[in-house]
């Protein structure tokens, strides 16, 4: 089932991750153990998403970049 999918050996680069669909996809991919790189113009929102992921997903590492 897709709910139990493990993406541990996958890297996901999400642009537009500061809000909306991009934010939701980044969070879900992190929850499924993908290594997530998030990018967007709004660095404050990227930092907030990064913090939310780190607080919610144990042992997670995440990179964020302003574009």
């Amino acid at each position: 089932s897709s709910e139990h999918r493990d993406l541990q050996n996958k890297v996901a680069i999400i642009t537009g991750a500061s809000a909306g669909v991009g934010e939701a996809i980044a969070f879900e991919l992190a929850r499924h153990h993908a290594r997530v790189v998030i990018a967007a113009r709004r660095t404050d929102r990227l930092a907030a998403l990064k913090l939310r992921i780190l607080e919610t997903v144990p042992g997670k590492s995440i990179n964020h970049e302003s574009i």
Side-chain angles (χ1 to χ4, degrees), residues 22-48:
E23 179 181 14
I25 289 171
F27 186 76
E28 285 303 307
L29 288 171
R31 251 183 14 93
H32 289 279
H33 309 287
R35 177 165 174 106
V36 178
V37 178
I38 55 176
R41 292 176 291 178
R42 298 180 63 187
T43 57
D44 57 327
R45 297 214 33 161
L46 281 181

Side-chain angles (χ1 to χ4, degrees), residues 46-64:
L46 281 181
L49 174 59
K50 179 180 178 178
L51 183 59
R52 181 174 153 224
I53 290 171
L54 292 174
E55 289 175 342
T56 306
V57 182
K60 193 72 209 150
S61 169
I62 187 166
N63 298 335
H64 73 281

